[in-house]
């Protein structure tokens, strides 16, 4: 045996949004399980998202450290204590928030200066482009964490490069996104406003442009996905776009115990036993689970239609509802008269945060109405659950195409417009029909068979000898050599 190489120390800084922080914690746990020292850098309000689950986490490797740096609310003109993307619903506030994150550069430098052992690698969110400069100061590689899949990254790239939306004049006319392994069609309605309106100098496009430029200067990209799920797009991203990529997911599968699945994310609005007891009373594949993630706002009128659609579908359901209006007050008026009484025993409504992986992993759950955020989609895939797709914003309309057209494990409900707030655009009849097609139709049975195959592939990928396990090992080896 040669001399023991210096133990690697990997520092993570995720964007302050649940969909970015939760997988980052899972990735840190995966590195720790390979006996790598890991440190996560975050701000005071967001620290509990990491600290709470780590209290019950049984470490196999070194403990995951959390370093807290101040969030520059005052300097950025933001209210004190609002440090997470979910607090900002307007584009203007979201931009202010992203600008505020640029002021984290100095505090991050200070953390890295004090690291002991010294940091050998910085893993930072794509939307924190300053991290590339910080890594250069310390002469360490900066890896980008995107929070999405290779498929979505390839579509985004083809989009920015070829601007196919300029070939159609009409907002609801489909056009093909060129030079991809599959024919992917989309409409202008499903694009961010600034692109749809051909704004040349939009602030949001400027932020995205800077982020993508810093990606091109980074060492490489960590992707929460696995090779068998999207092989053509993993190859395309590496070869056509020339990016070094490591697919190390599904990272949520590092949580093997119920307690770990339950503790992910925020404080749950339901206790683990109530949730499992309710599910245990149901037949296999009989429950549909509905959740729109941590950022999508659903209008009261649309919630009302969902309730009517669920009742008409006659299926058992678990429905996660974020009920707060813009002032943060609870609002229950979205439910049809007497709905909760009629649904007693048939439907479980969780107001707030739900232990999603614990629920999806239960044999009673046979379908998932999802906003197509990548974490939710991949968690559904890892649990073998077919989906009703209802994209809202970000890259969710692309991910819908992956699920419905390439993997063929989902049915589109008919969402047409890119918007973080889901106004009343999908009628209860369409919701009922999509749910019944998935839960009781022949079509649903075939999708479930395909979904279960993907579940097996996902679980094999993270085991020793699997593609994700091997890619993580080769990344660790490469980082060790880089630092030798």
């Amino acid at each position: 045996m040669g001399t023991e190489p210096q133990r690697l120390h990997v520092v993570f800084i995720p964007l302050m949004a649940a969909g970015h922080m939760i997988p980052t914690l899972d990735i840190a746990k995966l590195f720790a399980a390979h006996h790598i020292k890991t440190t996560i850098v975050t701000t005071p309000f967001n620290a509990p998202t990491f600290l709470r689950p780590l209290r019950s986490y049984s470490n196999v490797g070194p403990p995951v450290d959390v370093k807290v740096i101040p969030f520059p609310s005052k300097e950025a003109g933001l209210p004190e204590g609002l440090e997470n993307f979910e607090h900002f619903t307007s584009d203007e506030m979201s931009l202010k928030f992203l600008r505020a994150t640029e002021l984290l550069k100095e505090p991050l430098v200070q953390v890295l200066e004090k690291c002991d052992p010294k940091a050998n690698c910085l893993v930072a969110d794509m939307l924190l482009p300053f991290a590339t400069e910080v890594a250069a100061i310390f002469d360490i590689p900066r890896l980008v964490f995107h929070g999405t899949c290779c498929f979505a990254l390839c579509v985004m790239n083809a989009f920015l490069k070829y601007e196919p939306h300029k070939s159609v004049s009409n907002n609801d006319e489909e056009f093909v996104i060129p030079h991809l392994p599959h024919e992917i069609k989309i409409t202008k309605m499903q694009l961010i406003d600034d692109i749809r309106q051909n704004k040349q100098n939009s602030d949001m496009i400027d932020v995205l442009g800077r982020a993508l430029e810093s990606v091109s200067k980074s060492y490489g990209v960590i992707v929460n996905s696995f090779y068998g799920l999207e092989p053509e797009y993993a190859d395309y991203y590496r070869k056509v776009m020339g990016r070094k990529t490591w697919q190390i997911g599904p990272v949520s599968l590092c949580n093997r115990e119920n307690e770990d699945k339950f503790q992910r994310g925020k404080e749950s609005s339901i206790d683990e036993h109530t949730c499992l007891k309710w599910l245990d009373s149901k037949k296999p594949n009989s429950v549909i689970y509905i959740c729109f993630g941590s950022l999508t706002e659903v209008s009261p009128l649309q919630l009302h239609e969902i309730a009517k659609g669920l009742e008409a579908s006659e299926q058992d359901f678990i429905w996660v509802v974020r009920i707060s209006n813009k002032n943060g007050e609870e609002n229950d008026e979205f439910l049809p008269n007497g709905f909760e009484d009629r649904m007693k025993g048939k439907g479980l409504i969780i107001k707030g945060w739900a232990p999603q992986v614990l629920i999806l992993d239960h044999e009673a759950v046979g379908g998932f109405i999802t906003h197509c955020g990548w974490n939710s989609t991949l968690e559904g895939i890892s649990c073998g659950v077919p989906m009703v797709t209802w994209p809202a914003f970000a890259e969710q309309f692309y991910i819908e195409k992956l699920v419905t057209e390439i993997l063929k494990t989902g049915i589109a409900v008919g969402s047409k417009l890119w918007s973080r707030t889901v106004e009343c655009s999908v009628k209860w009849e369409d919701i009922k029909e999509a749910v019944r097609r998935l839960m009781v139709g022949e079509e649903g049975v075939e999708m479930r068979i395909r979904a279960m195959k993907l579940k097996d592939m996902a679980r094999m990928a993270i085991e020793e000898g699997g593609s994700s396990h091997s890619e993580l090992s080769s990344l660790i080896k490469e980082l060790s050599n880089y630092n030798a």
Side-chain angles (χ1 to χ4, degrees):
M1 291 295 284
T3 53
E4 179 69 357
Q6 186 221 323
R7 199 165 97 206
L8 276 177
H9 181 187
V10 180
V11 175
F12 295 85
I13 181 162
L15 183 73
M16 292 79 87
H20 295 244
M21 299 191 308
I22 295 168
T24 296
L25 177 58
D26 288 338
I27 294 168
K29 288 177 183 174
L30 282 172
F31 273 91
H34 281 72
H35 301 283
I36 308 289
K37 176 158 176 53
T38 54
T39 300
I40 296 172
V41 180
T42 190
T43 66
F45 172 85
N46 295 294
T49 299
F50 302 104
L51 295 169
R52 216 173 37 80
L54 285 171
R55 282 204 291 270
S56 64
Y57 184 61
S58 42
N59 286 76
V60 268
V64 177
D65 275 342
V66 178
K67 292 270 182 274
V68 179
I69 56 177
F71 186 77
S73 308
K74 212 157 101 195
E75 298 85 331
L78 289 168
E80 202 64 41
L82 300 192
E83 302 175 10
N84 190 293
F85 212 88
E86 70 185 53
H87 293 142
F88 308 108
T89 44
S90 72
D91 287 352
E92 183 196 4
M93 289 294 266
S94 302
L95 265 167
K96 255 189 181 175
F97 169 73
L98 288 171
R99 293 259 151 79
T101 62
E102 290 168 22
L103 302 174
L104 296 172
K105 180 179 172 179
E106 232 8 81
L108 177 61
V109 168
Q110 288 164 15
V111 167
L112 291 176
E113 277 170 345
K114 295 191 186 112
C115 273
D116 183 29
K118 77 178 187 59
N120 313 105
C121 173
L122 178 61
V123 178
D125 203 278
M126 165 187 153
L127 288 170
L128 304 175
F130 61 83
T132 300
E133 298 152 40
V134 173
I137 295 171
F138 295 91
D139 190 27
I140 58 174
R142 181 244 169 142
L143 292 172
V144 178
F145 175 59
H146 272 291
T148 192
C149 54
C150 288
F151 171 78
L153 294 173
C154 294
V155 175
M156 268 183 252
N157 178 69
F159 212 85
L160 293 166
K161 196 167 170 184
Y162 305 112
E163 303 187 309
H165 59 294
K166 292 188 172 170
S167 66
V168 294
S169 49
N170 197 320
N171 273 347
D172 40 24
E173 188 184 335
E174 284 195 322
F175 56 88
V176 174
I177 298 170
H179 304 291
L180 292 171
H182 294 86
E183 187 179 86
I184 302 298
K185 289 180 179 171
I186 206 152
T187 70
K188 276 194 190 173
M189 299 267 283
Q190 297 167 333
L191 305 174
I192 184 169
D193 286 353
D194 294 354
I195 292 182
R196 184 158 72 234
Q197 295 158 9
N198 286 330
K199 284 191 187 166
Q200 292 312 314
N201 46 3
S202 115
D203 288 344
M204 205 40 127
I205 290 173
D206 176 51
V207 166
L208 289 172
R210 277 215 314 282
L212 288 167
E213 189 190 352
S214 91
V215 172
S216 66
K217 292 179 180 160
S218 69
Y219 187 76
V221 180
I222 290 181
V223 182
N224 179 18
S225 179
F226 58 101
Y227 186 78
L229 184 68
E230 42 168 6
E232 303 96 331
Y233 293 90
D235 293 344
Y236 183 99
Y237 196 62
R238 287 175 178 134
K239 289 175 190 151
V240 180
M241 294 172 63
R243 305 291 317 125
K244 271 188 156 183
T245 314
W246 295 271
Q247 286 176 296
I248 64 166
V251 299
S252 64
L253 294 180
C254 73
N255 301 288
R256 293 175 188 252
E257 304 301 321
N258 273 351
E259 178 64 13
D260 292 332
K261 292 176 196 170
F262 184 73
Q263 291 289 354
R264 288 174 86 236
K266 290 195 272 189
E267 194 90 43
S268 185
S269 308
I270 185 169
D271 76 78
E272 180 186 343
H273 304 293
T274 308
C275 190
L276 288 175
K277 194 175 155 192
W278 190 90
L279 283 165
D280 288 342
S281 71
K282 302 294 174 186
K283 292 193 185 78
N285 298 324
S286 67
V287 175
I288 187 144
Y289 170 67
I290 306 99
C291 181
F292 284 88
S294 56
L295 292 177
T296 310
E297 300 275 327
V298 184
S299 71
L301 279 173
Q302 185 65 77
L303 290 168
H304 191 91
E305 292 291 315
I306 293 172
K308 279 176 72 176
L310 287 174
E311 184 167 359
S313 78
E314 301 178 334
Q315 301 305 298
D316 291 347
F317 63 86
I318 291 185
W319 183 13
V320 183
V321 189
R322 287 176 66 214
I323 319 175
S324 64
N325 61 19
K326 296 282 186 276
N327 315 323
E329 296 154 12
E330 289 236 334
N331 168 16
D332 268 1
E333 287 164 16
F334 68 90
L335 290 173
N337 243 341
F339 177 79
E340 288 196 78
D341 291 338
R342 290 195 301 279
M343 295 297 108
K344 273 236 159 34
K346 197 159 181 58
L348 180 63
I349 297 176
I350 300 176
K351 294 171 185 173
W353 189 265
Q356 180 158 295
V357 170
L358 191 75
I359 292 168
L360 287 171
D361 220 6
H362 196 284
E363 62 166 11
V365 174
F368 180 11
I369 298 183
T370 174
H371 65 306
C372 299
W374 182 241
N375 291 314
S376 289
T377 304
L378 190 58
E379 286 160 11
I381 287 167
S382 313
C383 296
V385 180
M387 302 174 221
V388 169
T389 57
W390 192 328
F393 74 115
E395 82 285 28
Q396 294 160 12
F397 283 95
Y398 307 157
I399 289 170
E400 173 175 65
K401 300 286 177 187
L402 175 69
V403 172
T404 57
E405 293 175 17
I406 297 175
L407 303 174
K408 297 186 166 58
T409 57
I411 292 168
V413 81
S415 172
K416 300 263 191 292
L417 178 67
W418 194 103
S419 169
R420 193 170 145 188
T421 301
V422 179
E423 297 299 349
C424 193
S425 59
V426 180
K427 294 288 171 242
W428 70 266
E429 296 91 340
D430 297 327
I431 299 164
K432 168 197 161 181
E433 191 203 358
V435 168
R436 289 197 64 82
R437 274 172 67 194
L438 191 72
M439 299 297 285
V440 292
E442 195 51 48
E443 199 177 359
V445 174
E446 285 163 21
M447 284 185 182
R448 191 158 293 112
I449 291 167
R450 282 195 285 275
M452 290 310 274
K453 279 188 183 142
L454 290 174
K455 171 184 176 169
D456 293 343
M457 283 165 69
R459 290 175 190 241
M460 275 159 60
I462 62 154
E463 296 301 336
E464 207 158 328
S467 63
S468 295
H469 190 279
S470 304
E471 288 197 25
L472 179 58
S473 303
S474 88
L475 169 58
I476 289 168
K477 196 170 169 189
E478 197 164 322
L479 292 176
S480 304
N481 292 341
Y482 184 96
N483 286 285

